Amino acid sequence: MVLHIFLGLLLLLIPAGALFIFDRSLLRTMGIAVLRMVVQLLVLCLIVWALVKYDNIWFSLLWLVLLSVVSGVLALRRMKLPLLKFLLPVSAGLLVSALLVGAYLLWVCLPAENGFGARWFVPVMALLVGQTQTTIIRGLSAYQSALKADEQQYEFLRGNGTNHLQAVLPFVRRALQQVFAPTAANLSVMGVYAMPLLLCGIFIAGVAPINAFVVTLQLISGCLAASVIALAVTLWLADRQLFDKYGKLQ
């Protein structure tokens, strides 16, 4: 096994050689990134192994909460938003959407004998959190940018007697457009390039081809549904951070 690992890592000599020739300043950055990736992958493997080995629903739920918080931190760092103000809305959006849609998939749709089992719970929840993290990054960024760019439109609507919810609906619409326009365009690409990886994992687990097709289709549907729920929960909770008690944009 050590030999195989070494032979696999030899492939890194190709990008390292290219950087050595054309831009040596990036060599150290790439080395640190690769080392961080290896450590993260090792830690992740150990965590998933422990979850599957001990197969305790409370451990799995604790892992899901921690995963939602960590994913929220990473999303906010990417959006360059303050952690203290937006960590709760983003993490709650990830957690609630994964729990609602994941529970429906595990106990109603998927052929899982035990929906509480880590063998199904962990991959399904991880897939939903990963997909909704991308949704929240796009949606919350678009929502906040639209409010800042067209604050006068919001003030105009409020000044003409509309309530706060009606005044923010045009900006929510923009956030949804920002989320689902690229998603709709990438669904066919996902089916050709990304989904075969998921299908291979399902086949390795011993699932029949027709059942694998159904499971994959249900997971994609779940990701789309979770995206809407995550964005709705996040925007609803973030609204208190973006506006004061008088409905004025902060």
Side-chain angles (χ1 to χ4, degrees), residues 79 86 88-94 132 136 139-140 143 228-240 242:
M79 292 184 286
F86 293 100
L88 177 60
V90 173
S91 298
L94 292 169
T132 52
I136 288 176
L140 184 57
Y143 183 71
V228 176
I229 296 174
L231 184 60
V233 173
T234 299
L235 293 184
W236 178 63
L237 293 176
D239 190 80
R240 302 177 183 180
L242 294 171

Side-chain angles (χ1 to χ4, degrees), residues 4 26 57 70 138 163 209 230:
H4 292 118
L26 289 178
I57 184 58
V70 172
R138 292 175 179 171
N163 58 37

Side-chain angles (χ1 to χ4, degrees), residues 26-84:
L26 289 178
L27 265 177
R28 184 173 182 273
T29 302
M30 191 195 79
I32 294 175
V34 170
L35 181 60
R36 184 183 302 152
M37 179 271 296
V38 171
V39 174
Q40 290 175 344
L41 183 59
L42 178 60
V43 172
L44 179 62
C45 287
L46 292 175
I47 291 174
V48 174
W49 171 82
L51 290 172
V52 174
K53 179 177 176 60
Y54 295 103
D55 200 5
N56 185 291
I57 184 58
W58 298 111
F59 288 160
S60 297
L61 288 173
L62 177 61
W63 164 81
L64 179 59
V65 172
L66 293 176
L67 179 64
S68 300
V69 173
V70 172
S71 299
V73 171
L74 295 177
L76 290 172
R77 285 184 176 178
R78 184 170 175 181
M79 292 184 286
K80 298 180 180 180
L81 293 176
L83 288 176
L84 294 179

Side-chain angles (χ1 to χ4, degrees), residues 182-199:
T183 299
N186 291 332
L187 274 179
S188 59
V189 177
M190 182 188 303
V192 174
Y193 298 105
M195 284 303 108
L197 298 175
L198 180 60
L199 284 170

